[in-house]
Amino acid sequence: MSHIAYVNGRYLPQRLAQVNIEDRGYQFADGVYEVMCIWNGVPADYAAHVVRLNRSLKELRMAAPASDGALRLIIQEVVRRNLVEKGTVYIQVNRGVSPRAHPFPSPNVKPSLIVTAKHGAGPPESVAEAGVKVIALPDLRWKRCDIKTVGLLPNTLAKQAASEAKAFEALLHLDGTVTEASSSNAWMVTPDKTIVTHPTTNSILGGVTRATVIKIARDAGYEVEERAFTLKEALKAKEVFLTGTTTFVMPVVQIDEQTVANGSPGTIALDLRQRYRAYMDSLTEAAWNA
Ligand code: PDD
């Protein structure tokens, strides 16, 4: 089936969907994006993704390409036209098309809006049941990782290194302090069973899944602490896991050549994974309004 993409006002077969070569997203990575999970035809945490998109736009002083209402209709239409039951929606907003020059173009230049959809959500269950390996790498990114920009080169380099090491993810650290992973947030469980994840500072992306999992964990009675932790602590942790829109909750069983605890997925990570899955299964059409 040919995928249908939305590009600046038109729904097109994806192979015909094009952007201008002078789009600033292309020339300066002057754009922001969101990835949402569609589960049983409805989005997970729709409102939180829109809030983050609007925040990213505001931080970069970029105009919104559409009202929240119009954006919702476009996303719903892309999901519908692509018959997505379980998958992802990708939304990208670039500052727009203008002859290449570093300063912002005139305010008359309209931002570009691209929405695409993909089938398939989350890694196979067997991957989570076995747990994954990660590699530790220095975090080479800029100082505004809280903005979800398309400037992802350090992330792609880290993910490629992970891939070449047959690892699922790269755990990024700044001088030994774990920030997050290349496309997911990082967590550990201390020996006294406190769940720890980096606070939402400029050093990490405030993950939508991260926020949902914090709530799910607290509601289930777990102690959750938002504080930075070191790679050393992670190596001695009871459990390590990752969260993200395309990851859900993923137990980590190995960091570089060292196993985490006894090398099998942690019970808390697996419990949170199940609870997150139950939350996804409970979503209804109302999720669009959330
Ligand atoms: N990435 N940290 C980084 C650097 C990310 O790129 C992502 C998501 C996350 C998790 O955020 P969320 O729970 O909101 O998905 C954390 C998306 C999925 C991507 O780039 O494809």
Side-chain angles (χ1 to χ4, degrees):
M1 189 192 90
S2 164
H3 281 96
I4 303 296
Y6 172 92
V7 184
N8 295 325
R10 297 204 294 162
Y11 296 91
L12 296 164
Q14 200 155 309
R15 71 197 142 76
L16 301 179
Q18 295 180 336
V19 290
N20 192 299
I21 57 166
E22 290 208 294
D23 188 294
R24 290 177 62 95
Y26 175 59
Q27 290 179 330
F28 295 109
D30 193 357
V32 300
Y33 77 106
E34 281 295 326
V35 182
M36 291 182 193
C37 182
I38 301 294
W39 195 255
N40 300 331
V42 295
D45 299 316
Y46 183 81
H49 282 284
V50 173
V51 165
R52 187 172 63 188
L53 177 66
N54 286 330
R55 177 181 185 276
S56 295
L57 291 169
K58 185 164 159 273
E59 290 300 312
L60 297 182
R61 294 161 56 198
M62 212 182 277
S67 66
D68 286 356
L71 182 65
R72 184 194 349 252
L73 290 176
I74 292 165
I75 295 170
Q76 283 175 324
E77 191 59 17
V78 170
V79 168
R80 193 186 69 75
R81 290 193 188 214
N82 287 288
L83 308 171
V84 179
E85 267 300 301
K86 287 190 165 65
T88 51
V89 171
Y90 176 78
I91 301 144
Q92 182 171 340
V93 183
N94 300 329
R95 199 179 303 273
V97 176
S98 182
R100 185 179 184 278
H102 286 64
F104 294 172
S106 135
N108 299 330
V109 171
K110 279 212 189 100
S112 318
L113 172 62
I114 294 109
V115 182
T116 58
K118 253 202 225 170
H119 290 254
E125 211 52 43
S126 56
V127 174
E129 279 162 15
V132 297
K133 172 185 173 179
V134 299
I135 57 168
L137 287 179
D139 190 340
L140 301 179
R141 299 173 302 162
W142 72 330
K143 294 188 170 66
R144 291 305 307 272
C145 297
D146 56 311
I147 307 173
K148 199 163 171 64
T149 81
V150 295
L152 290 173
L153 204 43
N155 306 60
T156 65
L157 291 173
K159 189 75 108 190
Q160 178 60 22
S163 231
E164 287 171 10
K166 301 206 175 351
F168 179 84
E169 252 288 26
L171 200 57
L172 307 177
H173 65 91
L174 280 176
D175 296 327
T177 297
V178 174
T179 48
E180 56 182 335
S182 77
S183 65
S184 50
N185 288 112
W187 306 61
M188 67 156 200
V189 180
T190 63
D192 74 354
K193 296 193 181 171
T194 302
I195 300 171
V196 183
T197 193
H198 198 289
T200 48
T201 64
N202 292 0
S203 306
I204 70 159
L205 180 76
V208 167
T209 319
R210 175 191 174 284
T212 297
V213 170
I214 287 178
K215 185 175 181 313
I216 288 175
R218 287 188 174 142
D219 288 351
Y222 291 109
E223 197 65 44
V224 182
E225 214 177 300
E226 293 180 69
R227 67 156 171 92
F229 60 91
T230 62
L231 194 53
K232 255 192 185 158
E233 278 183 276
L235 287 165
K236 286 196 201 133
K238 199 169 159 55
E239 301 186 22
V240 173
F241 61 94
L242 305 168
T243 60
T245 295
T246 51
T247 315
F248 303 168
V249 179
M250 180 58 70
V252 172
V253 294
Q254 189 180 337
I255 302 174
D256 293 326
E257 294 319 310
Q258 197 176 314
T259 57
V260 174
N262 67 1
S264 39
T267 51
I268 294 177
L270 289 178
D271 182 41
L272 291 176
R273 182 176 174 86
Q274 207 170 28
R275 288 175 189 274
Y276 183 73
R277 175 64 193 268
Y279 155 73
M280 303 272 280
D281 287 339
S282 75
L283 295 169
T284 64
E285 279 297 315
W288 288 107
N289 311 316

